[in-house]
Amino acid sequence: MKIDLAKSDKHYYDATPHPELRIFDAYDYLTATGSGAPGGEAYTDAVQTLYRTAYGAKKLAEADGHDFVVPKLEGLWWVNSDAPPLTVPREQWHWKLMIRMPEVVTAEMVSGAQFERLTEGAAIQVMHIGPYATEPETLARMDAFMSAEGLAMNGRHHEIYLSDPRKSPAANTRTILRHPVTRT
């Protein structure tokens, strides 16, 4: 039976349009870190490398009798500035692109990308539906929720891309937004 994390781990891959506090365990990821605008050359190269690596790991796992669906692309985003992130030019953004790996994949099966175990713990999660340009509205709702609940950011902004923007109309694009948090 093929492992499909999107179906077996709804807690991770499903969100409501309203911010919710959730707890996330440690998970294994293929990662590539860089900087520059989304869609730029470095970003595009990193995405291609991650998928090439993911499909290589899938082939090795399948040979061992453990086939899986390659999970969705994810990204951690940050800026090296005290300025509000959305005011910083996109060319100055930093990212860690990720593809979560099922437990059957080990570091020995990976070449071409980093293999990391990351833990977010407590996080605010929400489903953003629409173009990336309207994310600030969803982020404002997340900030209001954090403020009302006595929470503060405790890590990097995390996005899970459930829709491929090349194949979906911008109005229908689905992206999970997640902020690791701590009590203030």
Side-chain angles (χ1 to χ4, degrees), residues 104-146:
V104 299
V105 175
T106 65
E108 293 76 26
M109 299 167 76
V110 172
S111 66
Q114 296 294 312
F115 185 81
E116 293 184 58
R117 177 162 281 234
L118 301 172
T119 305
E120 281 182 305
I124 301 300
Q125 180 161 294
V126 66
M127 179 69 71
H128 172 75
I129 299 174
Y132 300 130
T134 63
E135 278 187 18
E137 299 160 15
T138 304
L139 294 171
R141 291 196 333 266
M142 293 174 78
D143 288 344
F145 180 86
M146 286 188 301

Side-chain angles (χ1 to χ4, degrees), residues 19 21 124 139-153 181-184:
L21 179 62
I124 301 300
L139 294 171
R141 291 196 333 266
M142 293 174 78
D143 288 344
F145 180 86
M146 286 188 301
S147 180
E149 296 293 322
L151 301 168
M153 284 282 288
V181 294
T182 188
R183 292 265 172 220
T184 55

Side-chain angles (χ1 to χ4, degrees), residues 8 44 49 54 69 75 80 87 114 139 146 158 162 164 171 181 184:
S8 65
T44 302
T49 297
V69 174
N80 291 336
T87 65
Q114 296 294 312
L139 294 171
M146 286 188 301
H158 186 165
L162 301 179
D164 184 338
V181 294
T184 55

